[in-house]
Each structure stands twice: as C-alpha cells, then as structure tokens.
C-alpha cells in the first residue's frame, strides 16, 4: 500500500511523556519547534475555547497545526495521525472550577513531526490550563481505560492526514480489502465498542474475536467459535454503519466459524487458512514500586522508597510509581509535589522515560506502557473513581427498615424488654389524660427536655414521657453490642454530671454506664414513674379550640396481649426520638434464603454469641465462622470483640473508616478533682472543646484528643466566617489543606500497625475527614494481624448477594455461620432527612390541617433556631436541621432543650399561668431564620461530593434548582457551633422573645 507511505515514521520507543513539562528543547529539535511556532503564530488560536465547558474536545495535528476534529467524528482516529484529546469535567456538580484529563494519542504510523508536535502542543495546552490537567500519553492498541471510556464507539482506521484520506462515505472501489477487529471495552455497567482496522492477513484471525472484512461492494462479518454474543451483536451494528452510507452499493453477509460458508471468508486470506488459537491472557503479580526524585542534597538523586503508600509522598519532591499490577494496562505515574523545585519538575518525566527504557531492556515493560503525569492537588479523578464505585442509582433505597416489612420485622424486635413486669405495673398514662407536657423520647434528648423544664420552674408532676423502647437510654438502650463505647470524651458527653455529682469510670464511657446514667437522671429528677415505655406515638393533631394536641398512642404489651390504643391531650409536645435507633439493612439478593443466624448490631443477640450486654464473653462463637457487614463507627468497636472469640471472622468492607488512636483509660480521681473544681466546669469544658473543633480555640486544649486534632472536620459542622460564592474554591482548598497532615498520619499509622501491606492499603481511608464520621480505637487495626480475621474488601461495590450459607463478593463465596449486620440506621425517608414527626414515626397535623411531612417535602425545613415551626403551636424539637452542630451530640441537645425551656418559662411568666397558653413561631421570623441559614450554606460546599453515606444521603443528586435551595435552607448553621451558641445567647439576653407569638386565651 504505497500510498500510505509516511515521512519519517515515528518510533514509539523514541519518546514518551518526557516531552510533557520538561525542557522541550531536550526532546524536540530546534527546527521542529520553529515550525510549530511559525504555524501557530504568537498564540495558539485552537486553545481559545479549550476547557471552557464540560465535555470532550479533540484536535488533530495537520502540517504542524492544531486542527479541531469535528464532533461527529469523535471516536474515529487514523493510524497515521496524532491527536490531542481534552476531557473537561467537574469533581462535583457544585464545583466552581474545572478539572481536566489531557491525552495525546499516537497512531502506529504517525510521523515523527506529528508526534513531536502533538507532545509539544500538549505541553502548551497544559500551560494554558495552568498545569491543572492530569496528562496521559496514548499509543494505538494500548489505550488506557480512561481514554476508551470517553467513546461509545472507538474506531481506528488505516490512513491519515498525509494521505488526504478523510472519509469512508464515498462509493467504495471494487478492490477494497479492509479488516476490522471488533472488541468490547467494559466501562462501569456499559459496554463500549472498540473497532480497530488491522492488516488483512491470516495471522490476524484469532479465536475468540469478531471480524468485519470490508470488500467495497461486500461487507463480511466473521464470528469465531468462542466469540461473545455481545461482540457479535456489536459487529453487526458496525457492519450496518459501514453499509448504510453507500446507499445500496453494498451488502452484508455473516459467517460463523465451523458453519457452512466459513471457508469462503477464510479463503480471502490465502489457501488453507484456519483460525489461530487464542492468545494467552496477560497476568501480572508484579508489586507496585515507588521512587523519589529529589535535589535537596544539591545533586539530583533517584532512589527507591520502601513503603508504597500515599503517606510516603512529600510535597517537596517528585515521585515515580511503577504499577504493572494490571498487565493489560500497565502504567508509570509521575507525581510532582506542589513545592517541588523547577529542576525536579523538569527532570521527573525524563527520569520516568529512562526508567521505562531500562525496564524494557529487562523485559518488564513494553514500549507502549503509559506514563501518566499529575501534580499534587489535582489527583482528584482517582478520588472520584473511588467515590463513584460506591454511588448507586438506588441511593438510600438500597436499604430497608426491618420495621416496615413483614419478612424482616423480627430484626427490629426489642430483645431487652420484660413485658410481664411492665404489664403488672401501673401505667404512667391512661386513656383520656390531659397533660401539660408530653415528651416523645426517653433518651438523652427527651430527658434533657424534661430536666430543663423542671429547672426552669415547671413541675415534674406535669410531665409525661413516652418511648417505644423498654427503658431509658435512647440509642444507648437499643445498642448493647460488645465493645460499645462513646466516641466523645465522657466528661463532656454525659450530660448533667455537675448536677448529679457522678464521676465516669473511663475517659470514654462504655455502653452500660451510659445507659445507667440515663436512669440516674430520671431517678434524680423524679421522672421514672412518669414514663410509659413500649409505646409508639402514632399521631398528633392540633385542636385550635381546645388549644391542645390530640395524641394517639399504641402501647406494645408483648406477644401475649394485643396492642393497647391510648388517646390523650397535651398542651405542649416535644419530639426527641433521636436518629440512631431504627436499624436498616441492605436489600441483598438471597438474604431471605440465608439459613445461618443473623442480627443487627443495634439488636445484639447474646443468645447466639454468648455473653451478656454487660459481660462480653462471646463463647458461643468459638466454633463459628462469623461475618460482619460494614466497617463504620459501630464495626470499629465490634470487630475487636468478635475477633477474640470467633473461629474465623470475615470483615466485609465497602468503604474503610479512618481510625485514629483512642487512648482509653480509667478516670483518675485526682485528675477528676481538678477538672471539676470550678462551678460550671462541664459547660466551660464543652465550650472549649467546640472552639478547638471549629479551629477557633479558646484557651488551652482541655480535652486534647483525636477530635480536637481533626482540623478539617469543621467542613461538616461549620466554622467561623461566611463563605461567599466566589470564595468557594478557596474554601474547599483550605479544608483539604487542613486535612492533609491528619490524613497522612492516620494512613501511616495503618501501615505501621497492620503487618500485611495489601490489607493495610485496603484499610486506609481515601476521602476527607468531613465525609465520614472519624473513628478512634486502639484495637481495631491490630485485629487484622490475627490469623482468624480476614478483610474482604468489595472494591467499593458492597456485597453482591447471599446464599444459604455464604456471602458472595465478586463471585467468591465466603461461608459463614453467623452474620452480624453493622449496616447503620435509618435517619431519612425517600432521600430526605424528613420532618421531626416523620423521623419519630409520628403523623403531625398542625393548625388548619397543615401536614408537617407534606410541608417539609414541599418547602423544606422551616423553623426558628431549629426548634419550632410556624403552623405548629406548642410543638418543639431539638434540630438537627437549621441548628448548630458538633461531634458532641449531647451538647447540642442540652443547648436547644434549655433554650426551649427558657422560652416557655418566659412566655408563661408574661401571660400568667394558664392551661390555654399557646407559643408559636411567626412566619416572618421563620423566613428570616431560613435566609440566615441560606446565607451560610456555602460553608458546606465540599460535602455533596463526598463518598456515599448518611451524611450526604448516600450521595443523592439534587438537580432541580428549587430542591437545591430547599436543601441549602435546611442546612445546619454554617458559622459553627460556637457562633450558633452566641446567637442563641444573644436572643435570650434580649428578653424580647423575638419571633414568638404568645396567646394567653385565659
């Protein structure tokens, strides 16, 4: 084919990405550089619109010029050409700036001039985009998965700009003889078509593939015996695409190997031609290798680094990572630190090229191995890929609440309640009662409402509490799994320590002690006999005439008796049911067929494991294979206990937790005396903790633990200052900068503690601190050094399914006898966190028939201070929307419940004691507060792009502008908990009850 002769055919071994970012004069001769610059003039006009909007842009090199490739031709390349491909994207829908992937693609018959121009122009485009792109060199036949993912159909044709060959739509010549290889490239759930024109010779017909032979007036498809049905189908589609433009001058015929007529196709390539055997698939057990390039000593050194981990990278140097673990797409990555010297930046790609030559000589790499160059701070695509593995189209619907199903309702049953004892006792609430204060919830939130009402001057005799549980404690009632402890210092977490005079046993209290503390509070404030347990509040409707809430309760009296329906009236109602009470489980195919024993961590079954909720000897697991689903905050505490007792433990991981040091220790009585020596010590200590948490420290760090050292966690909870839209990018950069030291330290600790490097790498978190609640434990990571513990990492996809006796991950069964579901809690409905009533399972109907659930779905969260809403008089709740938040949940509960109690005490003081007083937020005040929340919402701009979790509602996408505004208006207080506390204090000190309408109706 003499007409395809090219000037100075490019040798792929002569150059690689060394041209990118290096001194171009070292890689491109002066004459070529002169030609390129003369062709472009002073400025390359092709870059005027490059990277200005999301999407794909392609340019072909034609006679030293950069020529835009038509959009309708994207995906079609010629083997005699060189191309530049730019993919522009955003790391999240709300990102203010673009990110880029920049590729230059070299056809196998491209000329030296074209290849050099493509490389030179790629450097120029990289500079034009301020060095942000991740850069790739692509070689025909060895394209990276990232590159192929851009094209639903990727086609390589023989020809190019030097031949003047541009189109295939003209009537073909009779002697045409082109052979195309049809392959599929798997990208996520999609099958992308890859078509390559290959030499029409017998050696190219290989078992397992599909071929299309274009003879001009005939197009023949040939399917080998083991070719896939999908590739056969795609081959037929491609054949039709070749035929259609020829307007009836061409026909299609399909041949199947072994069937009649197959010899006709093979005869086109010579006499006696047969299909060649399939080539063995490539495989590699090569471990990644890391090298450092540094000129810190005065000279340039290139040295091997023992630890292949993110923590080994240093911003002051450049690094080379040789990753041949994927034999099909081996790559050498060049990482340039943000503080690397100019010499290091220029030499790094050249050292990578030299390293590649050496590896080729030793047979470890082929010439077409990709070299990928990136700069520190612009590696985000790797994060996106990890995140996207975990994003599911079903979002929050991937989980179900056992309580809502007949099939799995048993997983929600109360394993701790003594029905017979309760049925014998005198109930705290009777049919037809009219109470002043009704509190829904008997955890720390409900008790805090009751205690602060009493402290504000109201009588305990006027208070009644209901809870679906069989005792006090809220989340500490339901959760009794082995290893359970509070992850916040008990001295600030356990409320009312100063008033009760109690000293916690440990710095981080264990579950039984926390539950006992709720009982202590109830006893001290005389609330124990005023609580009706086992009772669901089903509905509450406002009666405007009676100035009462008509409440419908359902008391669960156990399996021996029917539920008891109770109607009562309440002047004031408080909803404080908490968020970590209702278990959720994944919708796993085959779960209903599993014959092993199983339970959720929040309903731990000690009959199966052995031990009790206060004595964690799990002796019944000694001969059992145990699996635990999930590696969040609960699992981090459970795994060490299971590891002590199980015959074998499989830990199934979707997303690793960040695990910092806990430093658990008993409380020192002498230290306790110092801590508690001044009046108001607990509030002062809590305020100090909060100030460190939002990076605005007040005094020395009194708590001084992992939380106060998490300098980027305030990305989730808010911090000082209001972020304007034009500063979002700087704000997010600040968060990442604050997170770096901690993240690297924790990842380094993982490598130090976990002996197996592969397991350690899988246990390292890859997301920012604000994306998933940090965890702290001294024994979790060491558990993976035990011979009876296996980490099963699901590569972000989660468990596939279950059988009668096994969990299936990536097609591999893991036989188990006991399955522990550490799969979290249901805190939202339909992708939304829901109204306070919805979260508590209470249907709330306010003034004029206003349905709270429907209102919050339609308008979003609408409150004043996050505690009350217009249209729902005498109804109060402790956030969490439109309030300040902190990692110490009980601080916010104390702050808000005290705020409400003061509000009601002042309201009744003003109008005199009356059983007809109503207290209601005004519409104007509610709207004003919503605007204040909205004004500060940009603080949380880094959260939507987080890995899926309860924090971002499993990465739920919000595309409608109205819904985006609702979500922003329903955020928490963007200036952080310290500022929020100051705002509430200022409002209270005004003494005006601004925004509150009080009606006496005496």
């Amino acid at each position: 084919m003499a007409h395809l002769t090219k000037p100075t055919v490019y040798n792929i071994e002569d150059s690689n990405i060394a041209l990118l970012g290096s001194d171009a004069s070292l890689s491109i001769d002066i004459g070529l550089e002169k030609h390129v610059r003369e062709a472009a003039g002073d400025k390359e006009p092709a870059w005027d619109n490059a990277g200005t909007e999301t999407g794909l842009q392609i340019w072909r090199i034609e006679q030293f010029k950069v020529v835009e490739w038509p959009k309708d031709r994207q995906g079609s390349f010629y083997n005699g050409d060189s191309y530049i491909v730019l993919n522009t994207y955003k790391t999240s829908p709300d990102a203010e700036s673009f990110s880029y992937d920049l590729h230059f693609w070299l056809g196998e018959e491209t000329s030296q001039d074209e290849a050099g121009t493509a490389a030179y122009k790629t450097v120029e485009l990289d500079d034009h985009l301020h060095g942000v792109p991740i850069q790739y060199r692509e070689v025909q036949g060895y394209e990276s998965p990232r590159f192929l993912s851009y094209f639903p159909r990727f086609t390589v044709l023989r020809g190019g700009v030097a031949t003047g060959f541009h189109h295939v739509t003209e009537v073909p010549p009779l002697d045409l003889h082109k052979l195309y290889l049809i392959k599929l490239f798997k990208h996520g759930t999609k099958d992308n078509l890859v078509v390559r024109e290959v030499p029409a010779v017998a050696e190219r017909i290989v078992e397992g593939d599909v071929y299309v032979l274009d003879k001009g007036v005939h197009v023949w498809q040939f399917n080998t015996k083991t070719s896939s049905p999908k590739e056969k189908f795609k081959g037929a589609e491609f054949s039709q695409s070749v035929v259609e433009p020829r307007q009836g001058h061409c026909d299609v015929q399909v041949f199947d190997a072994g069937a009649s007529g197959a010899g006709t196709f093979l005869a086109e390539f010579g006499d006696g031609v047969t299909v060649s055997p399939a080539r063995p698939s490539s495989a590699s057990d090569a471990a990644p290798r890391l090298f450092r390039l540094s000129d810190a000593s005065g000279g340039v050194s290139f040295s091997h680094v023992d630890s292949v981990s993110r923590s080994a990278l240093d911003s002051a140097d450049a690094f080379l990572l040789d990753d041949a673990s994927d034999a099909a797409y081996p790559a050498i990555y060049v990482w340039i630190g943000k503080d690397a010297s100019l010499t290091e930046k220029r030499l790094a790609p050249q050292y990578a090229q030299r390293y590649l030559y050496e590896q080729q000589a030793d047979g470890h790499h082929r010439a077409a191995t990709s070299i990928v160059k990136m700069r520190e701070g612009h590696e985000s695509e790797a994060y996106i890929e990890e995140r996207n593995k975990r994003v599911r189209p079903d979002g929050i619907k991937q989980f179900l609440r056992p309580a809502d199903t007949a099939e799995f309702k048993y997983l929600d049953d109360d394993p701790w309640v003594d029905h017979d004892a309760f049925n014998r006792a005198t109930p705290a609430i009777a049919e037809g009662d009219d109470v002043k204060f009704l509190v829904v919830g008997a955890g720390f939130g409900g008790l805090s409402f009751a205690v602060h009402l009493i402290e504000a001057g109201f009588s305990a005799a006027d208070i009644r509490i209901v809870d679906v549980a069989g005792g006090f404690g809220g989340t500490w009632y339901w959760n009794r799994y082995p290893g359970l402890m509070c992850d916040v210092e008990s001295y600030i977490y356990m409320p009312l320590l100063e008033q009760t005079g109690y000293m916690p046993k440990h710095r981080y209290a264990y579950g039984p002690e926390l539950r006992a503390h709720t009982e202590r509070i109830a006893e001290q404030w005389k609330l124990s006999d005023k609580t009706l347990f086992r009772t669901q509040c089903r509905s509450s409707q406002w009666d405007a005439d009676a100035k009462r809430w008509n409440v419908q309760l359902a008391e669960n009296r156990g399996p021996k008796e029917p539920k008891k329906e109770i109607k009562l009236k309440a002047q004031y109602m408080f909803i404080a049911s908490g968020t970590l009470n209702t278990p959720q489980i994944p919708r796993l195919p085959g779960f209903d067929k599993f014959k092993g024993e199983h339970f959720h961590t929040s309903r731990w079954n000690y009959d199966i494991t052995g031990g009790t909720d206060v004595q964690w000897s799990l002796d019944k697991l000694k001969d059992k294979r145990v699996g635990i689903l999930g590696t969040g905050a609960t699992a981090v505490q459970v795994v060490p206990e299971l590891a002590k007792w199980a015959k074998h433990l499989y830990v199934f991981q979707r997303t690793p937790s960040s695990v910092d040091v806990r430093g658990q220790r008993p409380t020192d009585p002498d230290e306790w005396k110092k801590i508690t020596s001044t009046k108001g010590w607990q509030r002062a200590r809590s305020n100090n903790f909060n100030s460190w948490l939002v990076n605005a420290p007040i005094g020395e760090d009194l708590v001084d633990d992992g939380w106060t050292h998490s300098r980027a966690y305030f990305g989730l909870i808010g911090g000082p200052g209001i972020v304007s839209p034009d500063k979002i990018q700087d704000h997010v950069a600040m968060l990442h900068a604050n997170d770096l030291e901690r993240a690297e330290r924790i990842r380094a600790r993982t490598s130090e503690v976990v002996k197996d490097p592969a397991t350690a790498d899988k246990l390292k978190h890859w997301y920012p601190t604000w994306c998933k609640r940090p965890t702290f434990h001294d024994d979790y990571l060491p558990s993976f050094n035990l011979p009876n513990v296996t980490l099963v990492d699901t590569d972000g996809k989660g468990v596939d399914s279950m059988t009668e006796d096994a969990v299936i991950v990536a097609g591999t069964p893991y036989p188990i006898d006991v399955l522990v579901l550490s799969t979290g809690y249901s805190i939202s409905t339909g992708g939304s966190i829901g109204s306070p009533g919805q979260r508590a399972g209470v249907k709330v109907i306010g003034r004029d028939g206003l349905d709270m659930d429907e209102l919050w779905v339609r308008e979003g969260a609408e409150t004043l201070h996050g505690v009350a809403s217009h249209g729902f008089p005498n109804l109060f709740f402790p956030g969490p929307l439109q309030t300040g938040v902190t990692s110490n949940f009980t601080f916010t509960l104390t702050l808000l419940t005290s705020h409400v109690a003061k509000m009601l005490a002042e309201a009744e003081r003003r109008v005199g004691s009356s059983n007809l007083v109503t207290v209601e937020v005004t519409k104007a005040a509610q709207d004003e507060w919503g605007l204040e929340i909205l004004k500060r919402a940009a603080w949380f701009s880094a959260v939507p792009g987080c890995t899926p979790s309860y924090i971002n509602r499993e990465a739920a996408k919000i595309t409608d502008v109205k819904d985006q505004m609702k979500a922003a208006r329903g955020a928490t207080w963007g200036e952080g908990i310290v500022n929020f506390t100051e705002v509430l204090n200022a409002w209270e000190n005004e003494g005006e009850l601004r925004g509150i309408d009080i009606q006496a109706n005496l």
Side-chain angles (χ1 to χ4, degrees), residues 309-372:
S309 67
R310 178 67 174 80
S311 59
L313 302 182
D314 186 331
S315 296
D317 294 322
F319 290 80
L320 182 153
L321 175 65
D322 178 359
D323 184 8
S325 57
D326 185 346
Y329 302 103
I332 293 173
Y333 297 90
V334 177
W335 183 89
I336 299 177
K338 61 183 176 65
D339 298 324
S341 69
L342 181 60
T343 298
E344 291 163 347
K345 291 176 182 177
R346 286 182 168 180
L347 291 182
Q350 296 177 44
Y351 269 79
Q353 177 67 71
R354 189 181 73 178
Y355 174 83
L356 179 58
Y357 277 143
E358 294 172 353
Q359 295 299 302
Q360 290 167 13
D362 294 337
H364 298 311
H365 274 292
R366 60 191 178 216
T369 294
S370 291
I371 296 183
V372 182

Side-chain angles (χ1 to χ4, degrees), residues 424-576:
R424 290 192 299 268
T426 302
I429 297 175
E431 174 74 20
D433 279 355
D434 187 341
V435 302
K436 187 175 184 69
F437 302 109
L438 178 66
V439 180
V440 179
F444 280 130
L447 287 170
S448 192
F449 266 129
V451 167
H452 285 107
L453 287 170
I454 295 169
E455 295 296 304
F458 296 106
S459 171
D462 291 332
I463 299 172
R464 293 294 182 273
I465 302 173
V466 297
D467 197 300
V468 71
F472 291 105
T475 191
W476 304 109
Y477 173 87
W478 293 111
N479 287 278
R480 305 193 191 190
Y481 55 79
L484 173 66
M485 72 170 80
C486 183
D487 67 354
V488 173
E489 186 194 61
S490 58
Y491 312 157
I492 61 173
Y493 178 83
M494 296 174 71
L496 303 167
L497 287 178
E498 192 167 3
Q499 293 86 334
T500 59
Y502 180 73
M503 182 186 78
K505 297 175 183 177
H506 291 84
R507 189 179 185 197
Y508 302 96
Y510 290 98
E513 185 177 17
L514 293 164
R515 189 170 65 256
H517 190 56
T518 62
E519 295 167 353
R520 180 180 302 109
I521 292 170
E523 187 67 29
Q524 181 163 328
W525 276 270
K526 298 180 172 55
L527 297 167
S528 300
D529 62 346
K530 298 171 180 65
T531 305
L532 185 64
F533 294 114
R534 311 176 300 165
T535 300
Q536 173 68 50
C537 181
R538 288 184 170 174
S539 65
S540 184
Q541 185 163 0
W542 179 250
D543 183 337
D545 295 328
K547 306 295 186 260
R548 288 291 185 275
W549 286 100
N550 291 327
V551 183
Q552 180 74 47
L553 306 177
E555 182 188 12
N556 175 17
R557 297 181 64 80
K560 300 176 184 177
E561 296 186 25
K563 287 187 176 181
K564 181 180 179 181
E565 301 293 330
I566 303 171
K567 293 181 180 179
L568 75 154
K569 297 179 181 296
Q571 182 180 358
Y572 296 100
M573 188 170 177
F574 308 84
I575 298 178

